[in-house]
mmCIF file of all heavy atoms in Angstrom:
data_model
loop_
_atom_site.group_PDB
_atom_site.id
_atom_site.type_symbol
_atom_site.label_atom_id
_atom_site.label_comp_id
_atom_site.label_asym_id
_atom_site.label_seq_id
_atom_site.Cartn_x
_atom_site.Cartn_y
_atom_site.Cartn_z
ATOM 1 N N LYS A 1 16.418 -0.110 9.237
ATOM 2 C CA LYS A 1 17.618 0.308 9.957
ATOM 3 C C LYS A 1 17.606 -0.128 11.420
ATOM 4 O O LYS A 1 18.637 -0.058 12.090
ATOM 5 C CB LYS A 1 17.770 1.829 9.869
ATOM 6 C CG LYS A 1 17.996 2.339 8.446
ATOM 7 C CD LYS A 1 18.207 3.849 8.437
ATOM 8 C CE LYS A 1 18.477 4.352 7.030
ATOM 9 N NZ LYS A 1 18.697 5.821 6.985
ATOM 10 N N LEU A 2 16.451 -0.523 11.935
ATOM 11 C CA LEU A 2 16.352 -0.925 13.331
ATOM 12 C C LEU A 2 16.749 -2.391 13.492
ATOM 13 O O LEU A 2 16.593 -3.195 12.571
ATOM 14 C CB LEU A 2 14.917 -0.724 13.833
ATOM 15 C CG LEU A 2 14.449 0.715 14.006
ATOM 16 C CD1 LEU A 2 12.935 0.762 14.201
ATOM 17 C CD2 LEU A 2 15.159 1.392 15.180
ATOM 18 N N PRO A 3 17.253 -2.783 14.668
ATOM 19 C CA PRO A 3 17.550 -4.205 14.896
ATOM 20 C C PRO A 3 16.288 -5.050 14.900
ATOM 21 O O PRO A 3 15.176 -4.542 15.064
ATOM 22 C CB PRO A 3 18.215 -4.193 16.280
ATOM 23 C CG PRO A 3 17.806 -2.908 16.916
ATOM 24 C CD PRO A 3 17.614 -1.929 15.799
ATOM 25 N N GLN A 4 16.472 -6.364 14.737
ATOM 26 C CA GLN A 4 15.348 -7.278 14.581
ATOM 27 C C GLN A 4 14.389 -7.216 15.761
ATOM 28 O O GLN A 4 13.177 -7.283 15.584
ATOM 29 C CB GLN A 4 15.881 -8.713 14.433
ATOM 30 C CG GLN A 4 14.800 -9.773 14.272
ATOM 31 C CD GLN A 4 14.062 -9.661 12.968
ATOM 32 O OE1 GLN A 4 14.583 -9.123 11.996
ATOM 33 N NE2 GLN A 4 12.829 -10.156 12.927
ATOM 34 N N ASN A 5 14.937 -7.075 16.957
ATOM 35 C CA ASN A 5 14.087 -7.095 18.158
ATOM 36 C C ASN A 5 13.749 -5.703 18.683
ATOM 37 O O ASN A 5 13.390 -5.535 19.832
ATOM 38 C CB ASN A 5 14.749 -7.919 19.258
ATOM 39 C CG ASN A 5 16.083 -7.318 19.692
ATOM 40 O OD1 ASN A 5 16.619 -6.438 19.016
ATOM 41 N ND2 ASN A 5 16.620 -7.802 20.815
ATOM 42 N N SER A 6 13.871 -4.673 17.841
ATOM 43 C CA SER A 6 13.583 -3.307 18.276
ATOM 44 C C SER A 6 12.107 -3.137 18.630
ATOM 45 O O SER A 6 11.227 -3.637 17.934
ATOM 46 C CB SER A 6 13.950 -2.315 17.171
ATOM 47 O OG SER A 6 13.503 -1.010 17.506
ATOM 48 N N PRO A 7 11.812 -2.411 19.717
ATOM 49 C CA PRO A 7 10.411 -2.174 20.083
ATOM 50 C C PRO A 7 9.793 -0.961 19.382
ATOM 51 O O PRO A 7 8.682 -0.575 19.706
ATOM 52 C CB PRO A 7 10.490 -1.928 21.591
ATOM 53 C CG PRO A 7 11.823 -1.277 21.783
ATOM 54 C CD PRO A 7 12.738 -1.902 20.750
ATOM 55 N N TRP A 8 10.506 -0.361 18.395
ATOM 56 C CA TRP A 8 10.053 0.896 17.824
ATOM 57 C C TRP A 8 9.794 0.792 16.318
ATOM 58 O O TRP A 8 10.214 1.647 15.554
ATOM 59 C CB TRP A 8 11.082 2.010 18.095
ATOM 60 C CG TRP A 8 11.401 2.194 19.529
ATOM 61 C CD1 TRP A 8 12.567 1.898 20.151
ATOM 62 C CD2 TRP A 8 10.536 2.722 20.535
ATOM 63 N NE1 TRP A 8 12.497 2.191 21.493
ATOM 64 C CE2 TRP A 8 11.245 2.714 21.758
ATOM 65 C CE3 TRP A 8 9.212 3.203 20.536
ATOM 66 C CZ2 TRP A 8 10.690 3.153 22.946
ATOM 67 C CZ3 TRP A 8 8.665 3.637 21.720
ATOM 68 C CH2 TRP A 8 9.403 3.616 22.906
ATOM 69 N N LYS A 9 9.088 -0.246 15.881
ATOM 70 C CA LYS A 9 8.874 -0.474 14.454
ATOM 71 C C LYS A 9 7.571 0.126 13.923
ATOM 72 O O LYS A 9 7.324 0.090 12.723
ATOM 73 C CB LYS A 9 8.933 -1.962 14.137
ATOM 74 C CG LYS A 9 10.321 -2.544 14.320
ATOM 75 C CD LYS A 9 10.399 -3.983 13.862
ATOM 76 C CE LYS A 9 11.817 -4.525 14.014
ATOM 77 N NZ LYS A 9 11.918 -5.931 13.582
ATOM 78 N N CYS A 10 6.709 0.612 14.785
ATOM 79 C CA CYS A 10 5.537 1.412 14.393
ATOM 80 C C CYS A 10 4.679 0.742 13.325
ATOM 81 O O CYS A 10 4.576 1.242 12.192
ATOM 82 C CB CYS A 10 5.959 2.798 13.891
ATOM 83 S SG CYS A 10 7.286 3.596 14.800
ATOM 84 N N PRO A 11 4.033 -0.384 13.607
ATOM 85 C CA PRO A 11 3.272 -1.094 12.562
ATOM 86 C C PRO A 11 2.119 -0.276 11.989
ATOM 87 O O PRO A 11 1.842 -0.382 10.784
ATOM 88 C CB PRO A 11 2.762 -2.353 13.291
ATOM 89 C CG PRO A 11 2.811 -2.011 14.751
ATOM 90 C CD PRO A 11 3.980 -1.090 14.899
ATOM 91 N N MET A 12 1.453 0.528 12.809
ATOM 92 C CA MET A 12 0.337 1.320 12.301
ATOM 93 C C MET A 12 0.831 2.398 11.341
ATOM 94 O O MET A 12 0.217 2.656 10.301
ATOM 95 C CB MET A 12 -0.424 1.962 13.468
ATOM 96 C CG MET A 12 -0.955 0.978 14.478
ATOM 97 S SD MET A 12 -2.228 -0.124 13.820
ATOM 98 C CE MET A 12 -3.595 0.999 13.687
ATOM 99 N N ASP A 13 1.942 3.037 11.682
ATOM 100 C CA ASP A 13 2.509 4.055 10.803
ATOM 101 C C ASP A 13 3.045 3.433 9.515
ATOM 102 O O ASP A 13 2.998 4.059 8.448
ATOM 103 C CB ASP A 13 3.634 4.804 11.526
ATOM 104 C CG ASP A 13 3.119 5.642 12.668
ATOM 105 O OD1 ASP A 13 2.515 6.694 12.416
ATOM 106 O OD2 ASP A 13 3.297 5.238 13.824
ATOM 107 N N ALA A 14 3.548 2.196 9.612
ATOM 108 C CA ALA A 14 4.048 1.518 8.421
ATOM 109 C C ALA A 14 2.936 1.261 7.410
ATOM 110 O O ALA A 14 3.110 1.457 6.198
ATOM 111 C CB ALA A 14 4.720 0.201 8.817
ATOM 112 N N VAL A 15 1.775 0.846 7.889
ATOM 113 C CA VAL A 15 0.633 0.621 7.001
ATOM 114 C C VAL A 15 0.183 1.948 6.383
ATOM 115 O O VAL A 15 -0.135 2.012 5.186
ATOM 116 C CB VAL A 15 -0.532 -0.046 7.770
ATOM 117 C CG1 VAL A 15 -1.784 -0.109 6.914
ATOM 118 C CG2 VAL A 15 -0.131 -1.446 8.215
ATOM 119 N N PHE A 16 0.166 3.005 7.175
ATOM 120 C CA PHE A 16 -0.228 4.320 6.664
ATOM 121 C C PHE A 16 0.750 4.788 5.576
ATOM 122 O O PHE A 16 0.346 5.311 4.540
ATOM 123 C CB PHE A 16 -0.254 5.327 7.825
ATOM 124 C CG PHE A 16 -0.779 6.675 7.451
ATOM 125 C CD1 PHE A 16 -2.136 6.959 7.538
ATOM 126 C CD2 PHE A 16 0.075 7.690 7.030
ATOM 127 C CE1 PHE A 16 -2.628 8.212 7.211
ATOM 128 C CE2 PHE A 16 -0.411 8.945 6.704
ATOM 129 C CZ PHE A 16 -1.761 9.206 6.794
ATOM 130 N N PHE A 17 2.033 4.584 5.816
ATOM 131 C CA PHE A 17 3.047 4.963 4.826
ATOM 132 C C PHE A 17 2.878 4.162 3.538
ATOM 133 O O PHE A 17 2.918 4.721 2.434
ATOM 134 C CB PHE A 17 4.433 4.730 5.425
ATOM 135 C CG PHE A 17 5.556 4.804 4.418
ATOM 136 C CD1 PHE A 17 5.974 6.025 3.905
ATOM 137 C CD2 PHE A 17 6.202 3.651 3.983
ATOM 138 C CE1 PHE A 17 7.001 6.102 2.994
ATOM 139 C CE2 PHE A 17 7.230 3.714 3.062
ATOM 140 C CZ PHE A 17 7.633 4.940 2.568
ATOM 141 N N ASP A 18 2.684 2.854 3.654
ATOM 142 C CA ASP A 18 2.496 2.015 2.465
ATOM 143 C C ASP A 18 1.267 2.476 1.675
ATOM 144 O O ASP A 18 1.296 2.499 0.435
ATOM 145 C CB ASP A 18 2.335 0.555 2.874
ATOM 146 C CG ASP A 18 3.624 -0.036 3.425
ATOM 147 O OD1 ASP A 18 4.685 0.551 3.190
ATOM 148 O OD2 ASP A 18 3.556 -1.072 4.105
ATOM 149 N N ALA A 19 0.207 2.845 2.388
ATOM 150 C CA ALA A 19 -0.989 3.322 1.700
ATOM 151 C C ALA A 19 -0.717 4.620 0.964
ATOM 152 O O ALA A 19 -1.227 4.832 -0.148
ATOM 153 C CB ALA A 19 -2.126 3.508 2.709
ATOM 154 N N SER A 20 0.108 5.505 1.555
ATOM 155 C CA SER A 20 0.414 6.767 0.863
ATOM 156 C C SER A 20 1.214 6.518 -0.412
ATOM 157 O O SER A 20 1.104 7.276 -1.385
ATOM 158 C CB SER A 20 1.190 7.701 1.803
ATOM 159 O OG SER A 20 2.534 7.291 1.960
ATOM 160 N N VAL A 21 2.019 5.457 -0.420
ATOM 161 C CA VAL A 21 2.765 5.092 -1.618
ATOM 162 C C VAL A 21 1.824 4.532 -2.688
ATOM 163 O O VAL A 21 1.851 4.940 -3.860
ATOM 164 C CB VAL A 21 3.876 4.067 -1.289
ATOM 165 C CG1 VAL A 21 4.549 3.581 -2.576
ATOM 166 C CG2 VAL A 21 4.895 4.677 -0.348
ATOM 167 N N ILE A 22 0.961 3.597 -2.264
ATOM 168 C CA ILE A 22 0.061 2.927 -3.207
ATOM 169 C C ILE A 22 -0.911 3.916 -3.839
ATOM 170 O O ILE A 22 -1.073 3.964 -5.069
ATOM 171 C CB ILE A 22 -0.715 1.810 -2.478
ATOM 172 C CG1 ILE A 22 0.267 0.709 -2.033
ATOM 173 C CG2 ILE A 22 -1.811 1.227 -3.376
ATOM 174 C CD1 ILE A 22 -0.352 -0.285 -1.068
ATOM 175 N N TRP A 23 -1.563 4.722 -3.013
ATOM 176 C CA TRP A 23 -2.639 5.575 -3.493
ATOM 177 C C TRP A 23 -2.177 6.987 -3.859
ATOM 178 O O TRP A 23 -2.800 7.637 -4.704
ATOM 179 C CB TRP A 23 -3.740 5.678 -2.439
ATOM 180 C CG TRP A 23 -4.285 4.369 -2.024
ATOM 181 C CD1 TRP A 23 -3.997 3.674 -0.887
ATOM 182 C CD2 TRP A 23 -5.209 3.551 -2.749
ATOM 183 N NE1 TRP A 23 -4.676 2.488 -0.848
ATOM 184 C CE2 TRP A 23 -5.450 2.401 -1.990
ATOM 185 C CE3 TRP A 23 -5.876 3.711 -3.971
ATOM 186 C CZ2 TRP A 23 -6.308 1.388 -2.393
ATOM 187 C CZ3 TRP A 23 -6.733 2.700 -4.377
ATOM 188 C CH2 TRP A 23 -6.942 1.564 -3.611
ATOM 189 N N GLY A 24 -1.105 7.462 -3.220
ATOM 190 C CA GLY A 24 -0.666 8.827 -3.447
ATOM 191 C C GLY A 24 0.506 8.953 -4.380
ATOM 192 O O GLY A 24 0.428 9.573 -5.435
ATOM 193 N N LEU A 25 1.642 8.348 -4.001
ATOM 194 C CA LEU A 25 2.866 8.503 -4.792
ATOM 195 C C LEU A 25 2.746 7.788 -6.148
ATOM 196 O O LEU A 25 2.935 8.402 -7.198
ATOM 197 C CB LEU A 25 4.054 7.955 -4.006
ATOM 198 C CG LEU A 25 5.417 8.082 -4.682
ATOM 199 C CD1 LEU A 25 5.797 9.540 -4.864
ATOM 200 C CD2 LEU A 25 6.490 7.344 -3.885
ATOM 201 N N VAL A 26 2.453 6.509 -6.121
ATOM 202 C CA VAL A 26 2.335 5.743 -7.370
ATOM 203 C C VAL A 26 0.976 5.967 -8.020
ATOM 204 O O VAL A 26 0.859 6.181 -9.226
ATOM 205 C CB VAL A 26 2.591 4.248 -7.102
ATOM 206 C CG1 VAL A 26 2.410 3.436 -8.381
ATOM 207 C CG2 VAL A 26 3.984 4.031 -6.526
ATOM 208 N N GLY A 27 -0.083 5.921 -7.216
ATOM 209 C CA GLY A 27 -1.427 6.186 -7.713
ATOM 210 C C GLY A 27 -2.189 4.932 -8.068
ATOM 211 O O GLY A 27 -1.615 3.946 -8.549
ATOM 212 N N PRO A 28 -3.507 4.923 -7.839
ATOM 213 C CA PRO A 28 -4.316 3.726 -8.107
ATOM 214 C C PRO A 28 -4.361 3.335 -9.574
ATOM 215 O O PRO A 28 -4.575 2.165 -9.902
ATOM 216 C CB PRO A 28 -5.701 4.123 -7.586
ATOM 217 C CG PRO A 28 -5.715 5.616 -7.592
ATOM 218 C CD PRO A 28 -4.312 6.030 -7.290
ATOM 219 N N ARG A 29 -4.160 4.285 -10.487
ATOM 220 C CA ARG A 29 -4.190 3.937 -11.911
ATOM 221 C C ARG A 29 -3.075 2.945 -12.251
ATOM 222 O O ARG A 29 -3.261 2.069 -13.087
ATOM 223 C CB ARG A 29 -4.071 5.199 -12.759
ATOM 224 C CG ARG A 29 -4.299 4.970 -14.257
ATOM 225 C CD ARG A 29 -4.109 6.252 -15.039
ATOM 226 N NE ARG A 29 -5.025 7.292 -14.605
ATOM 227 C CZ ARG A 29 -6.294 7.389 -15.013
ATOM 228 N NH1 ARG A 29 -6.780 6.503 -15.857
ATOM 229 N NH2 ARG A 29 -7.050 8.365 -14.566
ATOM 230 N N ARG A 30 -1.912 3.098 -11.597
ATOM 231 C CA ARG A 30 -0.785 2.208 -11.882
ATOM 232 C C ARG A 30 -0.863 0.894 -11.110
ATOM 233 O O ARG A 30 -0.053 -0.011 -11.364
ATOM 234 C CB ARG A 30 0.538 2.909 -11.546
ATOM 235 C CG ARG A 30 0.888 4.066 -12.466
ATOM 236 C CD ARG A 30 2.290 4.582 -12.150
ATOM 237 N NE ARG A 30 2.689 5.625 -13.080
ATOM 238 C CZ ARG A 30 2.443 6.915 -12.894
ATOM 239 N NH1 ARG A 30 1.785 7.305 -11.791
ATOM 240 N NH2 ARG A 30 2.842 7.811 -13.777
ATOM 241 N N ILE A 31 -1.766 0.798 -10.145
ATOM 242 C CA ILE A 31 -1.863 -0.420 -9.342
ATOM 243 C C ILE A 31 -3.199 -1.123 -9.543
ATOM 244 O O ILE A 31 -3.250 -2.318 -9.830
ATOM 245 C CB ILE A 31 -1.623 -0.097 -7.850
ATOM 246 C CG1 ILE A 31 -0.181 0.408 -7.676
ATOM 247 C CG2 ILE A 31 -1.874 -1.326 -6.975
ATOM 248 C CD1 ILE A 31 0.204 0.723 -6.255
ATOM 249 N N PHE A 32 -4.317 -0.363 -9.429
ATOM 250 C CA PHE A 32 -5.643 -0.959 -9.563
ATOM 251 C C PHE A 32 -6.352 -0.531 -10.848
ATOM 252 O O PHE A 32 -7.474 -0.956 -11.105
ATOM 253 C CB PHE A 32 -6.528 -0.569 -8.361
ATOM 254 C CG PHE A 32 -6.024 -1.114 -7.057
ATOM 255 C CD1 PHE A 32 -5.382 -0.305 -6.146
ATOM 256 C CD2 PHE A 32 -6.190 -2.457 -6.736
ATOM 257 C CE1 PHE A 32 -4.915 -0.789 -4.938
ATOM 258 C CE2 PHE A 32 -5.721 -2.966 -5.532
ATOM 259 C CZ PHE A 32 -5.071 -2.130 -4.631
ATOM 260 N N GLY A 33 -5.709 0.312 -11.648
ATOM 261 C CA GLY A 33 -6.332 0.801 -12.865
ATOM 262 C C GLY A 33 -5.847 0.072 -14.106
ATOM 263 O O GLY A 33 -5.296 -1.035 -14.034
ATOM 264 N N ASN A 34 -6.005 0.717 -15.263
ATOM 265 C CA ASN A 34 -5.652 0.079 -16.516
ATOM 266 C C ASN A 34 -4.148 -0.071 -16.716
ATOM 267 O O ASN A 34 -3.712 -0.791 -17.612
ATOM 268 C CB ASN A 34 -6.261 0.859 -17.698
ATOM 269 C CG ASN A 34 -5.853 2.332 -17.682
ATOM 270 O OD1 ASN A 34 -5.185 2.788 -16.752
ATOM 271 N ND2 ASN A 34 -6.240 3.073 -18.695
ATOM 272 N N LEU A 35 -3.341 0.591 -15.872
ATOM 273 C CA LEU A 35 -1.893 0.459 -15.961
ATOM 274 C C LEU A 35 -1.333 -0.527 -14.949
ATOM 275 O O LEU A 35 -0.123 -0.760 -14.914
ATOM 276 C CB LEU A 35 -1.223 1.839 -15.758
ATOM 277 C CG LEU A 35 -1.612 2.953 -16.742
ATOM 278 C CD1 LEU A 35 -0.906 4.243 -16.371
ATOM 279 C CD2 LEU A 35 -1.278 2.549 -18.176
ATOM 280 N N GLY A 36 -2.171 -1.094 -14.110
ATOM 281 C CA GLY A 36 -1.705 -1.979 -13.049
ATOM 282 C C GLY A 36 -2.208 -3.388 -13.209
ATOM 283 O O GLY A 36 -3.115 -3.674 -13.994
ATOM 284 N N GLU A 37 -1.620 -4.293 -12.416
ATOM 285 C CA GLU A 37 -1.993 -5.704 -12.525
ATOM 286 C C GLU A 37 -3.091 -6.117 -11.541
ATOM 287 O O GLU A 37 -3.531 -7.264 -11.572
ATOM 288 C CB GLU A 37 -0.760 -6.576 -12.285
ATOM 289 C CG GLU A 37 -0.130 -6.436 -10.908
ATOM 290 C CD GLU A 37 1.048 -7.388 -10.733
ATOM 291 O OE1 GLU A 37 0.782 -8.607 -10.613
ATOM 292 O OE2 GLU A 37 2.194 -6.926 -10.739
ATOM 293 N N TYR A 38 -3.550 -5.191 -10.673
ATOM 294 C CA TYR A 38 -4.566 -5.558 -9.675
ATOM 295 C C TYR A 38 -5.940 -4.999 -10.041
ATOM 296 O O TYR A 38 -6.772 -4.781 -9.169
ATOM 297 C CB TYR A 38 -4.150 -5.032 -8.293
ATOM 298 C CG TYR A 38 -2.837 -5.588 -7.803
ATOM 299 C CD1 TYR A 38 -1.662 -4.862 -7.935
ATOM 300 C CD2 TYR A 38 -2.770 -6.855 -7.229
ATOM 301 C CE1 TYR A 38 -0.444 -5.367 -7.501
ATOM 302 C CE2 TYR A 38 -1.558 -7.369 -6.780
ATOM 303 C CZ TYR A 38 -0.394 -6.628 -6.928
ATOM 304 O OH TYR A 38 0.800 -7.139 -6.497
ATOM 305 N N GLY A 39 -6.186 -4.783 -11.330
ATOM 306 C CA GLY A 39 -7.443 -4.180 -11.772
ATOM 307 C C GLY A 39 -8.672 -4.997 -11.442
ATOM 308 O O GLY A 39 -9.748 -4.449 -11.194
ATOM 309 N N MET A 40 -8.545 -6.317 -11.408
ATOM 310 C CA MET A 40 -9.708 -7.168 -11.140
ATOM 311 C C MET A 40 -10.253 -6.965 -9.724
ATOM 312 O O MET A 40 -11.401 -7.302 -9.444
ATOM 313 C CB MET A 40 -9.326 -8.638 -11.328
ATOM 314 C CG MET A 40 -8.947 -8.990 -12.768
ATOM 315 S SD MET A 40 -10.329 -8.740 -13.918
ATOM 316 C CE MET A 40 -11.435 -10.049 -13.380
ATOM 317 N N VAL A 41 -9.421 -6.396 -8.834
ATOM 318 C CA VAL A 41 -9.869 -6.164 -7.457
ATOM 319 C C VAL A 41 -11.044 -5.188 -7.422
ATOM 320 O O VAL A 41 -11.862 -5.209 -6.501
ATOM 321 C CB VAL A 41 -8.692 -5.657 -6.600
ATOM 322 C CG1 VAL A 41 -9.148 -5.280 -5.194
ATOM 323 C CG2 VAL A 41 -7.607 -6.712 -6.518
ATOM 324 N N ASN A 42 -11.177 -4.344 -8.460
ATOM 325 C CA ASN A 42 -12.282 -3.382 -8.489
ATOM 326 C C ASN A 42 -13.652 -4.045 -8.549
ATOM 327 O O ASN A 42 -14.663 -3.408 -8.217
ATOM 328 C CB ASN A 42 -12.121 -2.443 -9.694
ATOM 329 C CG ASN A 42 -10.966 -1.485 -9.524
ATOM 330 O OD1 ASN A 42 -11.008 -0.598 -8.677
ATOM 331 N ND2 ASN A 42 -9.918 -1.654 -10.311
ATOM 332 N N TRP A 43 -13.707 -5.311 -8.960
ATOM 333 C CA TRP A 43 -15.003 -6.005 -8.987
ATOM 334 C C TRP A 43 -15.573 -6.216 -7.594
ATOM 335 O O TRP A 43 -16.758 -6.516 -7.448
ATOM 336 C CB TRP A 43 -14.844 -7.341 -9.712
ATOM 337 C CG TRP A 43 -14.750 -7.190 -11.212
ATOM 338 C CD1 TRP A 43 -13.632 -7.232 -11.977
ATOM 339 C CD2 TRP A 43 -15.840 -6.931 -12.102
ATOM 340 N NE1 TRP A 43 -13.944 -7.035 -13.305
ATOM 341 C CE2 TRP A 43 -15.302 -6.847 -13.422
ATOM 342 C CE3 TRP A 43 -17.214 -6.758 -11.940
ATOM 343 C CZ2 TRP A 43 -16.081 -6.593 -14.533
ATOM 344 C CZ3 TRP A 43 -17.998 -6.511 -13.056
ATOM 345 C CH2 TRP A 43 -17.432 -6.433 -14.328
ATOM 346 N N PHE A 44 -14.739 -6.041 -6.563
ATOM 347 C CA PHE A 44 -15.259 -6.152 -5.202
ATOM 348 C C PHE A 44 -16.316 -5.083 -4.923
ATOM 349 O O PHE A 44 -17.209 -5.306 -4.105
ATOM 350 C CB PHE A 44 -14.120 -6.038 -4.184
ATOM 351 C CG PHE A 44 -13.350 -7.309 -3.964
ATOM 352 C CD1 PHE A 44 -12.308 -7.674 -4.809
ATOM 353 C CD2 PHE A 44 -13.659 -8.135 -2.900
ATOM 354 C CE1 PHE A 44 -11.587 -8.841 -4.598
ATOM 355 C CE2 PHE A 44 -12.964 -9.311 -2.677
ATOM 356 C CZ PHE A 44 -11.920 -9.655 -3.531
ATOM 357 N N PHE A 45 -16.208 -3.926 -5.572
ATOM 358 C CA PHE A 45 -17.243 -2.895 -5.394
ATOM 359 C C PHE A 45 -18.616 -3.460 -5.757
ATOM 360 O O PHE A 45 -19.603 -3.272 -5.023
ATOM 361 C CB PHE A 45 -16.942 -1.685 -6.276
ATOM 362 C CG PHE A 45 -15.946 -0.726 -5.707
ATOM 363 C CD1 PHE A 45 -14.728 -0.519 -6.345
ATOM 364 C CD2 PHE A 45 -16.198 -0.036 -4.534
ATOM 365 C CE1 PHE A 45 -13.794 0.374 -5.834
ATOM 366 C CE2 PHE A 45 -15.269 0.859 -4.007
ATOM 367 C CZ PHE A 45 -14.056 1.059 -4.665
ATOM 368 N N ALA A 46 -18.698 -4.132 -6.899
ATOM 369 C CA ALA A 46 -19.983 -4.689 -7.348
ATOM 370 C C ALA A 46 -20.455 -5.798 -6.423
ATOM 371 O O ALA A 46 -21.638 -5.880 -6.062
ATOM 372 C CB ALA A 46 -19.834 -5.208 -8.782
#
């Protein structure tokens, strides 16, 4: 909703919000688990 050159876009809060969607609202099972397409990313743990 803000104009292109607005100084109030809050990049740090935007990343935090996106993380709450990925891990909280949708959940890792639908993104990084057996229901999601990014499951191979879990191999980074190993």
Side-chain angles (χ1 to χ4, degrees):
K1 296 183 178 180
L2 290 167
Q4 180 68 25
N5 62 347
S6 172
W8 304 110
K9 292 186 178 180
C10 319
M12 302 295 287
D13 293 286
V15 172
F16 186 89
F17 168 74
D18 291 342
S20 75
V21 174
I22 294 168
W23 303 102
L25 182 64
V26 178
R29 188 182 301 278
R30 291 187 176 89
I31 296 182
F32 296 104
N34 55 355
L35 301 178
E37 62 177 288
Y38 300 98
M40 296 298 291
V41 175
N42 289 292
W43 284 102
F44 278 84
F45 278 116

